Amino acid sequence: MGLIGGLSWESSAEYYRIINEATRNRLGELYSAKILMFSVNFAEIEQYQHLGRWDLATQIMVDAAKRLESGGADFILIVSNTMHLLADEIEQNVSIPLLHIADPTGEAVQQQEITRIGLIGTAFTMEGDFYKKRLQDRFGFDVIVPDADDRAIVHSIIYQELVTGRTSDSSRQEYKRIIEQLAQNGAQCVILGCTEIKLLIKQEDTQTPLFDTTTLHALAAVDRAITAT
């Protein structure tokens, strides 16, 4: 499997751990996953995101995907929810498949017969159509997000704390409040639509069912790799 990482490296480390633990559990104590990772410089990506220069971010991401393909990867994971905004461009520039993060997430939610979901993540993920529309079109979900003020809080905590590996109880309380508000607004579950959120919030923090995209994506990669061998 080929991973485009560094988005941030905090979540890339989680992917590496989850993938290898799952491989060991599935195949045996001495097994580890065959992984290629190209880790980009997140400082550049973050700058282009907030400047709206997605064209420059696309160049970096496509280059990373091509390097993974030339290195022998059989399929690609983008180790970020937000950067799936560029999924189509990446798929158009390589000949190997992209395992989209929204798909294993949507499948897991669908198995619980849930139809109305809450979504938290970066402002780009919560406010753009690229992620919500895939969940709506492929799985028929009604997707709701926090109000503007709470979206700003969620986004700020991600970029000011989580991508640097920092967590705080005050931020955890804010996320719990926002998750509870989504539940009050009719969400039957909440998707943790940023790969760093699992560093802050866990299922034991709330009674609202949570779906962790990082873990679901990583486990789907293991399933795909094992099935292909």
Side-chain angles (χ1 to χ4, degrees):
M1 61 189 77
L3 277 61
I4 303 178
L7 301 162
S8 64
W9 72 257
E10 296 287 345
S11 60
S12 302
E14 286 294 296
Y15 269 83
Y16 190 80
R17 178 185 61 78
I18 294 165
I19 287 169
N20 278 294
E21 286 180 351
T23 300
R24 181 180 62 196
N25 292 339
R26 292 277 297 275
L27 299 178
E29 285 293 322
L30 298 182
Y31 281 83
S32 56
K34 293 182 178 179
I35 296 173
L36 292 175
M37 182 184 290
F38 188 89
S39 188
V40 304
N41 178 6
F42 185 63
E44 292 180 338
I45 295 292
E46 185 273 339
Q47 181 182 29
Y48 295 150
Q49 287 176 339
H50 288 94
L51 289 174
R53 293 302 307 269
W54 294 100
D55 57 326
L56 298 178
T58 298
Q59 292 177 17
I60 294 173
M61 296 292 288
V62 168
D63 175 69
K66 288 180 175 179
R67 289 172 185 266
L68 291 172
E69 181 176 28
S70 65
D74 295 308
F75 63 96
I76 291 173
L77 281 73
I78 304 172
V79 186
S80 159
N81 287 271
T82 296
M83 297 310 288
H84 278 75
L85 189 152
L86 307 177
D88 289 345
E89 288 83 353
I90 290 172
E91 288 183 304
Q92 291 165 9
N93 281 278
V94 294
S95 59
I96 56 177
L98 172 73
L99 179 56
H100 198 292
I101 195 168
D103 294 344
T105 301
E107 290 165 5
V109 174
Q110 199 170 54
Q111 289 174 5
Q112 302 301 313
E113 299 184 349
I114 289 171
T115 57
R116 187 173 174 84
I117 62 177
L119 172 65
I120 58 174
T122 68
F124 310 111
T125 300
M126 292 185 290
E127 297 172 3
D129 287 335
F130 72 96
Y131 200 90
K132 292 184 291 187
K133 193 171 189 304
R134 192 176 185 100
L135 292 171
Q136 291 163 346
D137 291 349
R138 292 201 168 207
F139 301 99
F141 298 140
D142 179 15
V143 183
I144 63 174
V145 297
D147 64 26
D149 289 342
D150 283 346
R151 290 199 303 271
I153 291 171
V154 171
H155 182 88
S156 176
I157 289 171
I158 290 169
Y159 280 92
Q160 293 183 17
E161 298 181 24
L162 302 186
V163 298
T164 63
R166 299 199 308 271
T167 61
S168 67
D169 189 59
S170 60
S171 294
R172 185 173 296 104
Q173 294 304 319
E174 283 285 71
Y175 268 48
K176 288 168 63 175
R177 178 188 61 79
I178 292 166
I179 289 168
E180 179 59 29
Q181 186 61 57
L182 286 169
Q184 290 178 9
N185 291 341
Q188 298 167 275
C189 72
V190 171
I191 290 177
L192 307 184
C194 171
T195 52
E196 286 86 16
I197 292 179
K198 76 183 304 292
L199 302 174
L200 181 66
I201 287 289
K202 295 178 171 51
Q203 185 59 71
E204 55 262 34
D205 294 319
T206 177
Q207 293 183 349
T208 302
L210 302 179
F211 287 84
D212 166 27
T213 55
T214 303
T215 300
L216 291 167
H217 197 205
L219 294 179
V222 174
D223 289 340
R224 183 165 192 152
I226 290 176
T227 300
T229 57

